[in-house]
């Protein structure tokens, strides 16, 4: 789990990397055209729309069907839940919350505070997500702070995609590609399914848990950062192992992972309301 750890803090102190801001803007760069050649348009990714939590990172998200007048949602990890990590098989919905989030602008400066009134959904079964409902709307956040939410991609991510992991906790970004997908990722008592594996340059650390994983071409959130194998141990907490469909176990020390979120939009209806019985909703149910 990429929650803050003393070791991570010490490493940062030694390396002097504590809160180095990384750049990115929420708009799309202009298309460049040369005779017979057209380069792909790429979004430059910033901290705008990300948030800092007391122990993790997160982001203000919307779904393709969300309206500007809907209550804004914040995405982070299940293991970042303020009441403690959900146990295997646990699914939490509709839990009261007053958690606060530091809203960041493009350069990583905290420009305001958002507050939750509900844990809409939280689990560490099959995936590792918590979704909070805030007391304000997307339109109000835009009007007050000039910040738009990040849009969740509702299709499965693709191997080889260029991504950035954007940590509001550390005000730091990591750049790499999606290396592939893991049939089962086992960590302690928990099992995550169809996890995203990064290439090695996304060397995320404690405090990056819950960071949005953003496709650098579309600017959409394709996953949520959650863990990595720190010490080379096999299937223990902070040392997840990969298990393939035949039960073969692989340990990749220093490699980090995220959980897919493309299946979440199908579970939300008009008004950003959770409906786990909706057609196409595959999230674990209570």
């Amino acid at each position: 789990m990429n929650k803050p750890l003393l070791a991570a803090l010490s490493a940062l102190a030694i390396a002097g990397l504590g809160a180095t801001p990384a750049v990115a803007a929420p708009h799309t760069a202009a298309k460049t055209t040369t005779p017979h050649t057209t380069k792909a348009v790429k979004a430059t990714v910033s901290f705008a729309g990300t948030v800092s939590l007391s122990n993790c990172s997160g982001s203000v998200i919307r779904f393709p069907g969300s309206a500007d007048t809907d209550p804004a949602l914040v995405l982070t990890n299940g293991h970042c839940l303020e009441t403690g990590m959900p146990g295997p098989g646990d699914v939490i919905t509709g839990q009261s919350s007053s958690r606060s989030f530091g809203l960041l602008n493009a350069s990583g400066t905290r420009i305001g505070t958002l507050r939750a009134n509900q844990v809409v959904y939280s689990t560490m079964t099959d995936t590792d997500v918590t979704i909070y409902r805030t007391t304000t709307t997307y339109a109000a956040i835009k009007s007050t702070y000039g910040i738009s939410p990040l849009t969740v991609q509702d299709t499965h991510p693709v191997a080889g995609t260029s991504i950035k992991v954007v940590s509001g906790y550390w005000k730091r970004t990591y750049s790499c590609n999606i290396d592939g997908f893991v049939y089962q990722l086992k960590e302690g008592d928990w099992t995550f399914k169809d996890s995203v594996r990064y290439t090695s340059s996304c060397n995320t650390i404690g405090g990056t848990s819950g960071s949005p994983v953003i496709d650098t071409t579309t600017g959409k959130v394709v996953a949520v950062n959650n863990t990595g194998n720190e010490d080379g141990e096999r299937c223990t907490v902070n040392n997840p192992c990969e298990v393939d469909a035949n039960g073969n176990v692989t340990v990749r020390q220093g490699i980090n992972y995220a959980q897919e979120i493309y299946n979440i939009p199908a579970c939300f209806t008009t008004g950003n309301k959770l409906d786990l019985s909706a057609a196409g909703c595959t999230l674990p149910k209570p």
Side-chain angles (χ1 to χ4, degrees):
M1 314 296 178
N2 288 140
K3 291 174 75 172
L5 302 172
L6 289 177
L9 291 171
S10 299
L12 282 173
I14 293 170
L17 297 175
T20 304
V23 276
H27 60 273
T28 301
K31 183 185 291 185
T32 302
T33 305
T34 57
H36 310 296
T37 303
T38 301
K39 291 183 179 180
V41 178
K42 282 204 171 188
T44 48
V45 181
S46 78
F47 293 102
T50 65
V51 298
S52 58
L53 285 70
S54 58
N55 61 343
C56 289
S57 301
S59 58
V60 181
I61 58 159
R62 69 179 297 156
F63 306 121
S66 296
D68 291 345
T69 52
D70 288 343
L73 303 176
V74 167
L75 171 71
T76 188
N77 283 148
H79 74 260
C80 296
L81 188 66
E82 70 269 34
T83 51
M85 296 191 295
D90 289 348
V91 175
I92 297 164
T93 62
Q95 178 175 288
S96 179
S97 176
S98 59
R99 192 163 198 184
S100 61
F101 314 98
L103 179 67
L104 307 183
N105 66 10
S107 62
T109 300
R110 180 171 177 155
I111 55 173
T113 300
L114 304 179
R115 189 168 295 278
N117 56 19
Q118 186 182 94
V119 176
V120 179
Y121 184 87
S122 184
T123 193
M124 289 178 67
T125 299
D126 296 350
T127 186
D128 186 6
V129 298
T130 295
I131 299 173
Y132 290 94
R133 184 182 69 198
T134 72
T135 59
T136 190
T137 65
Y138 300 119
I141 293 172
K142 179 70 172 179
S143 175
T144 303
Y145 303 109
I147 298 295
S148 298
L150 302 176
T151 299
V152 171
Q153 179 175 299
D154 59 0
T155 56
H156 195 287
V158 177
T161 298
S162 172
I163 55 173
K164 286 185 181 288
V165 181
V166 187
S167 172
Y169 185 91
W170 290 118
K171 284 62 169 187
R172 183 178 177 188
T173 65
Y174 302 80
S175 300
C176 63
N177 291 352
I178 294 177
D179 186 49
F181 306 98
V182 182
Y183 180 72
Q184 288 186 341
L185 190 68
K186 290 187 176 293
E187 182 171 5
D189 295 330
W190 296 274
T191 300
F192 311 124
K193 296 180 180 179
D194 198 20
S195 302
V196 174
R197 180 178 62 239
Y198 306 141
T199 52
S200 59
S201 53
C202 278
N203 52 343
T204 52
I205 59 172
T208 63
S209 284
S211 298
V213 179
I214 302 176
D215 183 324
T216 62
T217 297
T218 65
K220 293 183 178 180
V221 185
V222 296
V224 59
N225 180 68
N226 79 310
T227 193
N229 188 294
E230 298 179 4
D231 307 309
E233 294 180 5
R234 179 185 170 107
C235 314
T236 62
V237 173
N238 298 322
N239 292 282
C241 63
E242 300 182 12
V243 183
D244 69 17
N246 296 316
N248 299 309
V249 176
T250 302
V251 174
R252 302 180 191 268
Q253 184 174 2
I255 294 298
N256 295 281
Y257 303 89
Q259 299 308 308
E260 296 170 357
I261 56 173
Y262 75 95
N263 59 333
I264 295 179
C267 303
F268 281 78
T269 60
T270 304
N272 272 353
K273 293 181 180 177
L274 179 69
D275 182 1
L276 294 176
S277 65
C281 178
T282 59
L283 285 176
K285 299 171 177 56

